[in-house]
Amino acid sequence: MSLSNNKIKYIRSLKDKKFRNEHNTFVAEGTKLVFDLINSCECQLIVALPEIINIYPEINSMSKEVIIASPNEIKKATFLKTPPTIIAVFYQKKSNINKDDLKNKLSLVLDGVQDPGNMGTIIRIADWFGIEHVFCSEDCADVYNPKTVQATMGSIARVSVVYTDLKKLLEELSDIPVYGTLLNGNNIYDEKLTENGLVIMGSEGKGISADIINYIDNKLYIPEYPLGVRSSESLNVAVATSVICSEFRRRSLSK
């Protein structure tokens, strides 16, 4: 069975959030990413080269529909510069969060992160440091954007991403320590850090919004080196997230 023009059109339509939401689906490309997701997300469609089906015959039972395609057909459907050997369409996951469970964990809160690549990288960072939950403001990049999905490198299968009203969330979790990264914050390496809490990371251009800053208990700053020497204006939000998470985990391991 070849990949029809209608199927190609459907896959390509999922580049747009409007159609992802309409169909409640998203696209993943490449063997590693597809197989990382296959056990955690229901699969609607798999499109693969014949050699992939031969290597992984179990694929035929992993999706509602499996299509063996030619390289040229996959090239027409892919979002990547280098066409993959397999493309899959998955149903979006629904995350149910027990807020009482968050009291003993470290979670990330993203306020207006716009870049899909940054969003995906932050999810990957969360996965690396054992952070199970990432909460996002409604104006954050969509986790199911193809660029975001690819940037997660499969971590989207293990990290729960929830879009919500951040003010309401922070009010409901007022008994949990709230940290935020700000240019006028205190040196993170001098501050006391807890093993649990919410760590807020702001948008690439504006940082943490003014109405969210009011909920921060501990303002943190990643110092430049050497101190007092002019350097970059700020760190990329994904890089800053990695530094922050690493320091929180280092402290917990050293206790």
Side-chain angles (χ1 to χ4, degrees):
M1 181 178 180
S2 62
L3 184 61
S4 68
N5 287 332
N6 282 340
K7 279 290 192 299
I8 292 172
K9 184 178 179 180
Y10 168 60
I11 293 170
R12 296 290 302 175
S13 76
L14 298 179
K15 183 176 183 179
D16 295 330
K17 185 177 181 179
K18 170 186 174 181
F19 294 109
R20 291 196 298 271
N21 288 346
E22 180 181 320
H23 297 286
N24 194 38
T25 55
F26 68 97
V27 176
E29 304 190 58
T31 305
K32 181 186 182 302
L33 183 54
V34 170
F35 276 89
D36 275 348
L37 289 169
I38 206 78
N39 293 319
S40 63
C41 298
E42 184 183 358
C43 191
Q44 182 189 65
L45 170 66
I46 286 177
V47 178
L49 295 178
E51 55 263 38
I52 294 298
I53 302 297
N54 291 335
I55 296 171
Y56 306 103
E58 65 272 23
I59 283 178
N60 288 295
S61 62
M62 290 179 170
S63 175
K64 290 184 175 180
E65 183 178 8
V66 177
I67 297 174
I68 299 174
S70 68
N72 189 52
E73 288 170 337
I74 285 186
K75 185 177 181 180
K76 291 178 181 178
T78 184
F79 298 121
L80 303 178
K81 289 183 179 179
T82 302
T85 56
I86 184 171
I87 300 173
V89 176
F90 290 96
Y91 290 102
Q92 297 181 20
K93 293 194 303 181
K94 299 299 181 185
S95 298
N96 296 314
I97 304 299
N98 181 349
K99 292 181 179 176
D100 288 333
D101 187 43
L102 298 175
K103 295 179 180 179
N104 299 315
K105 296 180 177 180
L106 190 67
S107 303
L108 289 177
V109 177
L110 306 183
D111 181 18
V113 173
Q114 299 290 305
D115 183 77
N118 282 336
M119 174 66 75
T121 302
I122 289 171
I123 294 168
R124 187 178 177 187
I125 289 165
D127 187 26
W128 180 262
F129 288 106
I131 295 173
E132 299 174 17
H133 305 295
V134 177
F135 296 95
C136 305
S137 60
E138 298 289 355
D139 59 342
C140 278
D142 183 19
V143 65
Y144 293 118
N145 180 301
K147 290 183 179 178
T148 304
V149 174
Q150 291 300 130
T152 70
M153 294 294 287
S155 293
I156 191 176
R158 293 174 291 275
V159 177
S160 171
V161 181
V162 176
Y163 290 79
T164 187
D165 181 329
L166 295 189
K167 291 176 68 174
K168 183 178 179 180
L169 174 75
L170 293 168
E171 287 168 0
E172 291 176 350
L173 299 175
S174 59
D175 54 342
I176 300 177
V178 178
Y179 298 88
T181 53
L182 298 160
L183 291 176
N184 64 346
N186 299 315
N187 189 326
I188 186 174
Y189 303 114
D190 295 331
E191 290 297 292
K192 180 179 179 181
L193 304 178
T194 55
E195 292 187 37
N196 67 323
L198 303 170
V199 179
I200 303 176
M201 305 301 297
S203 71
E204 293 87 346
K206 300 178 182 179
I208 300 172
S209 54
D211 55 344
I212 298 300
I213 289 176
N214 296 328
Y215 293 92
I216 297 174
D217 303 313
N218 304 280
K219 298 177 180 179
L220 303 176
Y221 173 68
I222 301 171
E224 68 278 21
Y225 184 85
L227 291 173
V229 175
R230 184 177 177 82
S231 60
S232 300
E233 182 179 316
S234 62
L235 287 174
N236 169 278
V237 63
V239 173
T241 301
S242 183
V243 174
I244 294 286
C245 291
S246 178
E247 184 60 15
F248 268 88
R249 292 313 196 204
R250 186 187 71 82
R251 298 286 186 92
S252 63
L253 289 172
S254 64
K255 290 182 180 180

